Amino acid sequence: MRLICRDVRVTYPHAARAALDKVSFELEPGERVALLGLNGSGKTTLLKALVGLLPHEGEIRLDDLPITPATLPEVRSRTGFLFNVPEDQLLFPNVLDDVAFGLKRRKIRRREALEKARIALEELGAADLAERPVYDLSHGQKLRVALAGILVMNPGLLLLDEPTAGLDPPGKRKLGELLAGLDAAMLVATHDIAFAKSVCGRALLLDPDESGILSTSCDSVLKVWSEL
């Protein structure tokens, strides 16, 4: 799935300046791209605009589908969004039911949905969490459960907001290996430079003091970002 942004601008109500301005880039099918920037540079704002959680000016398209209020259901069915606070997307008290929820909404039979949910958890090294209550999980465990609920839907585009937050080194390594084996295009907002280099082949650098966005090789952008 191809993501196209042209002169995207996002302004919060009553704000003196735009949170994002003149942001343009393309994400090719299957491409994994890191989204970098200092705190407050607009990384989360951009991800939310890409799935219609924030209104925007300019053009955002998934393949030939423009993002408008009328197309949001279709846009969101093609996209997996991982919030930086996993609790925001965990809806059920039981882990397995939560991971299977999206499949059930697609009218997949309960037994099949639960089996697919177990497989998704196993691929994330979280099979032991299947019968656990969500409230009893650590932050890192909740993140893996939220990610399993996204991946089980097999989206064409993944938008990941700080996916390694709260993960220990083995968890980060396993997550990187998993993402590397997926066919989906990915935009990964992160401060984790080592993870970005291991997963992504290109990086976008957001700078609120400059119009637009810097896009080049992962190593080149990481070098600029590390010098800020």
Side-chain angles (χ1 to χ4, degrees):
M1 180 171 294
R2 178 177 285 105
L3 171 66
I4 300 170
C5 292
R6 293 281 183 270
D7 293 325
V8 173
R9 177 183 175 93
V10 177
T11 305
Y12 289 96
H14 311 298
R17 57 178 291 181
L20 292 172
D21 195 19
K22 298 180 182 178
V23 171
S24 298
F25 67 94
E26 293 189 17
L27 187 64
E28 296 298 322
E31 188 179 18
R32 295 187 291 273
V33 175
L35 180 62
L36 306 177
L38 300 176
N39 288 336
S41 61
K43 300 186 298 297
T44 296
T45 295
L46 176 57
L47 294 185
K48 288 182 175 180
L50 295 178
V51 288
L53 293 176
L54 290 174
H56 70 276
E57 301 174 58
E59 180 185 20
I60 303 175
R61 286 191 289 122
L62 295 182
D63 290 333
D64 294 325
L65 184 69
I67 295 182
T68 68
T71 64
L72 284 183
E74 178 64 20
V75 167
R76 291 171 182 171
S77 73
R78 302 183 187 185
T79 306
F81 189 109
L82 180 69
F83 289 80
N84 59 3
V85 180
E87 290 86 351
D88 288 348
Q89 59 195 103
L90 299 177
L91 305 175
F92 289 83
N94 173 271
V95 166
L96 193 62
D97 285 335
D98 198 279
V99 176
F101 173 65
L103 294 174
K104 293 176 185 176
R105 290 190 64 186
R106 289 186 177 177
K107 309 300 182 185
I108 293 177
R109 290 181 299 177
R110 175 177 171 79
R111 178 177 296 182
E112 182 181 354
L114 293 176
E115 180 59 26
K116 289 180 180 293
R118 288 187 188 277
I119 293 172
L121 287 167
E122 183 176 354
E123 289 176 342
L124 283 167
D128 59 317
L129 303 180
E131 304 302 335
R132 294 270 301 275
V134 169
Y135 71 82
D136 196 36
L137 304 181
S138 69
H139 174 82
Q141 289 171 329
K142 289 177 181 177
L143 187 146
R144 282 186 284 173
V145 171
L147 186 56
I150 292 168
L151 296 182
V152 77
M153 303 296 289
N154 194 30
L157 172 66
L158 288 173
L159 305 174
L160 309 179
D161 197 354
E162 298 293 350
T164 62
L167 293 182
D168 54 24
K172 292 181 184 181
R173 186 166 55 251
K174 191 170 185 67
L175 176 61
E177 292 170 354
L178 173 68
L179 295 179
L182 298 177
D183 293 330
M186 300 175 204
L187 187 60
V188 185
T190 184
H191 289 101
D192 190 333
I193 292 179
F195 181 78
K197 291 183 70 172
S198 70
V199 172
C200 302
R202 183 164 66 93
L204 306 175
L205 179 63
L206 285 171
D207 184 347
D209 295 323
E210 299 288 341
S211 294
I213 190 168
L214 173 63
S215 173
T216 184
S217 72
C218 200
D219 283 338
S220 297
V221 173
L222 288 169
K223 182 176 185 300
V224 172
W225 189 82
S226 65
E227 293 172 353
L228 292 177

